[in-house]
Amino acid sequence: MASGSDEGMGGLNVVLLGAPGAGKGTQAQLIKDRFDLPHIATGDILRAAVAAGTEVGLRAKAYMDKGELVPDEVVVAIVADRIAEDDCADGWLLDGFPRTVPQAEALDRTIAEKSLKPIDCVVYLSITAEAVVERLSGRRVCPNTECGAAYNVETMPPKAEGICDRCGTGIIQRDDDKPDTVRQRLETYEKRTSALVARYRDAGVLAEIQAEGTPEEVSERVLAELGSVE
Ligand code: AMP
């Protein structure tokens, strides 16, 4: 599936896979800057839809608040439209999608139907449940949808307490990072998303990365892996 036959067909097509709190958003920023890829994060797109009060947002909100997945058809339609846009012709970075086997199948169908380049690499950020709970309870995010920077009160605080380094907005805790919802999101991940690891391993595109450690340590591992795919 990876490289070879698709030479000359544009840059990298990368999927970021991992439990909530594994560091997908943080690593996505680094990968997108390094490889100049459009960053397609379904969680960010859905949160923006909720904030804007669109029909998709109104439908998604109830699921998101409970830590459950938004129905496949909603996110599949968002991603199918987005990766067919012109700026994705030279590669893309999918963050938080696919999250279920039907979503992965739909992505394969979209790639085939629109004659897009296949996935080059699925970066799987592997982490224990204990580390996830620790990380998510300390996570704070910038609510400015144009920015979306992430921090951690313990390990990655902003320079001025409570204020986003990049845009100066007051940072907040996401509603779904509260303990009960985190527990539900982890259960959902185990039940619905973890099967994708084996699927992509069998397809020969999985790069398993140890996601514990500092963001810099993890990104070194990620960039080394992607450098060898490029
Ligand atoms: P995230 O920011 O990736 O942690 O996503 C936040 C929430 O948005 C998730 O808990 C889900 O409710 C929803 N969501 C994001 N991506 C997807 C997806 N691919 N499929 C279904 N729901 C999603």
Side-chain angles (χ1 to χ4, degrees), residues 18-21 24-25 41-47 60-72 74-76 79 95-100 103 136 139 174 176-177 181 185 188 192-193:
K24 296 189 296 294
T42 43
D44 289 350
I45 294 171
L46 291 168
R47 275 186 292 279
K61 187 174 180 337
Y63 297 96
M64 296 172 79
D65 284 348
K66 283 189 278 183
E68 291 172 6
L69 295 182
V70 172
D72 287 334
V74 175
V75 278
V76 162
V79 172
D95 166 3
F97 181 98
R99 251 172 157 109
T100 64
Q103 289 180 19
L136 292 186
R139 173 158 76 176
R174 271 170 51 173
D176 62 354
D177 281 346
T181 319
R185 286 165 68 205
T188 304
R192 312 220 21 220
T193 311

Side-chain angles (χ1 to χ4, degrees), residues 54-135:
T54 66
E55 205 176 305
V56 164
L58 292 175
R59 189 156 173 220
K61 187 174 180 337
Y63 297 96
M64 296 172 79
D65 284 348
K66 283 189 278 183
E68 291 172 6
L69 295 182
V70 172
D72 287 334
E73 73 268 16
V74 175
V75 278
V76 162
I78 291 173
V79 172
D81 288 346
R82 185 65 189 85
I83 66 168
E85 282 178 31
D86 288 351
D87 66 333
C88 291
D90 286 330
W92 35 256
L93 172 62
L94 276 177
D95 166 3
F97 181 98
R99 251 172 157 109
T100 64
V101 171
Q103 289 180 19
E105 289 168 351
L107 178 60
D108 287 347
R109 274 198 305 278
T110 301
I111 287 171
E113 280 162 15
K114 302 193 183 197
S115 304
L116 306 175
K117 188 160 92 62
I119 297 168
D120 291 300
C121 187
V122 175
V123 174
Y124 166 45
L125 297 173
S126 169
I127 189 166
T128 63
E130 295 78 55
V132 160
V133 171
E134 208 178 287
R135 278 191 187 177

Side-chain angles (χ1 to χ4, degrees), residues 2-30:
S3 69
S5 60
D6 45 54
E7 257 175 39
M9 283 183 67
L12 279 180
N13 291 347
V14 180
V15 171
L16 267 172
L17 182 65
K24 296 189 296 294
T26 303
Q27 296 306 319
Q29 290 299 329
L30 296 157

Side-chain angles (χ1 to χ4, degrees), residues 134-179:
E134 208 178 287
R135 278 191 187 177
L136 292 186
S137 59
R139 173 158 76 176
R140 299 293 180 272
V141 295
C142 175
N144 171 3
T145 51
E146 302 286 303
C147 175
Y151 300 91
N152 189 291
V153 288
E154 302 296 335
T155 56
M156 215 178 19
K159 291 192 187 92
E161 197 184 326
I163 304 293
C164 178
D165 292 346
R166 279 205 249 152
C167 72
T169 305
I171 58 175
I172 58 163
Q173 181 172 45
R174 271 170 51 173
D175 281 343
D176 62 354
D177 281 346
K178 311 260 158 83

